[in-house]
Amino acid sequence: MLNILKSYLLRIKRTPAIMVIILCPLIFTGLFIVYLLSATGLKGVELAYFFVAYTILASFSVSFFIPMLYESDKKAGNYANDLRIGICRKKLFFVRFIFIFILLMTIEGIAILPFMLFLYFYGINVQILNLAVYAMIGSVGLISMVPVYQFLSLKFNYTGSILTGVICTLAAVLLGTTDLGSGIWYYFPFVYPIRLIYGYVSGYFNVYNVIFYLFISFLISFVSVVILSFWYNRWDGISEMEE
């Protein structure tokens, strides 16, 4: 598995995905810090609102980031590297899922580090428990949709993935931050990250509630990977939409 992960990393080494992984979280954090320096109503809740903004943005960003990761394979003979390599496709789909999850955690880490330095130098105390909960929501909370975006990226390219990302993100904001989602939001995994971060910041959820729904998100992602890996095992390598 490590060799496959290494090969996936080498495939994106000279692609725009590397710039997204490194520069986008730094730009986001830089803009948020500039906003904090000019704002007056966020004293004491800087960390919470940082992760609220990050989680909402990340919920949409995965919809174009994942097809970007597949772009190099598409250009290299319509995914011939994976489809004809001789390794079980189910394993490849699963390892790609792990690879994407690692990159999402890396992006989050790159965003968090300079922000934590900013808070430290400005003498703002950070509770480690809150930081850990926010970070888990910003990574584990997203994984239930990763297999879905893998499928959409392969089958429908950027068009299908981004269109789904727009709809899901708007719906997640609506169901996750208003009373409209009360009683139904837990039926929609794409709502989890935004609902959890909003609920925890607002005091509606405690740590145990968050951990429970993150566990559910993990289970959903596992089931999705298993189901979609069977589809990938039979896929002919043809996409039905072009951007």
Side-chain angles (χ1 to χ4, degrees), residues 17-237:
I18 291 294
M19 302 296 290
V20 171
I21 293 170
I22 298 174
L23 288 183
C24 284
L26 293 177
I27 292 173
F28 165 77
T29 301
L31 292 175
F32 194 83
I33 289 174
V34 170
Y35 171 70
L36 283 182
L37 293 175
S38 61
T40 58
L42 296 179
K43 303 301 181 182
V45 292
E46 295 87 351
L47 187 67
Y49 279 83
F50 172 83
F51 277 99
V52 168
Y54 174 84
T55 303
I56 293 175
L57 183 61
S59 295
F60 168 72
S61 298
V62 291
S63 68
F64 69 80
F65 178 64
I66 292 177
M68 185 179 292
L69 296 176
Y70 277 109
E71 186 68 15
S72 60
D73 291 328
K74 180 186 175 184
K75 292 180 178 179
N78 285 329
Y79 310 100
N81 287 332
D82 277 358
L83 299 183
R84 302 179 184 90
I85 198 174
I87 300 176
C88 177
R89 291 191 193 178
K90 297 176 186 176
K91 179 179 180 180
L92 292 176
F93 192 88
F94 172 73
V95 176
R96 179 82 73 162
F97 166 78
I98 297 297
F99 178 66
I100 293 170
F101 181 52
I102 292 173
L103 291 183
L104 292 179
M105 289 192 297
T106 301
I107 291 172
E108 186 179 38
I110 294 174
I112 291 174
L113 182 58
F115 188 68
M116 294 303 296
L117 291 174
F118 165 78
L119 296 181
Y120 173 77
F121 284 115
Y122 270 77
I124 300 173
N125 295 324
V126 173
Q127 293 186 2
I128 300 301
L129 177 61
N130 287 339
L131 176 61
V133 172
Y134 294 146
M136 285 193 299
I137 294 173
S139 55
V140 180
L142 297 173
I143 63 172
S144 62
M145 289 300 292
V146 169
V148 176
Y149 285 124
Q150 285 182 257
F151 164 74
L152 293 171
S153 300
L154 291 166
K155 190 64 176 177
F156 302 108
N157 245 300
Y158 279 96
T159 305
S161 183
I162 293 177
L163 181 60
T164 302
V166 170
I167 295 173
C168 286
T169 303
L170 292 176
V173 172
L174 185 62
L175 297 177
T177 62
T178 68
D179 291 336
L180 185 63
S182 299
I184 62 172
W185 66 270
Y186 36 77
Y187 294 117
F188 305 98
F190 57 85
V191 181
Y192 284 14
I194 294 177
R195 184 72 177 191
L196 291 178
I197 195 73
Y198 177 78
Y200 188 73
V201 169
S202 303
Y204 298 139
F205 296 153
N206 57 33
V207 175
Y208 300 105
N209 299 137
V210 172
I211 292 176
F212 173 77
Y213 284 107
L214 289 181
F215 179 71
I216 297 297
S217 180
F218 175 80
L219 288 181
I220 292 172
S221 67
F222 177 77
V223 173
S224 299
V225 167
V226 171
I227 294 174
L228 292 173
S229 65
F230 281 97
W231 166 83
Y232 187 64
N233 195 46
R234 296 184 176 185
W235 185 49
D236 56 9

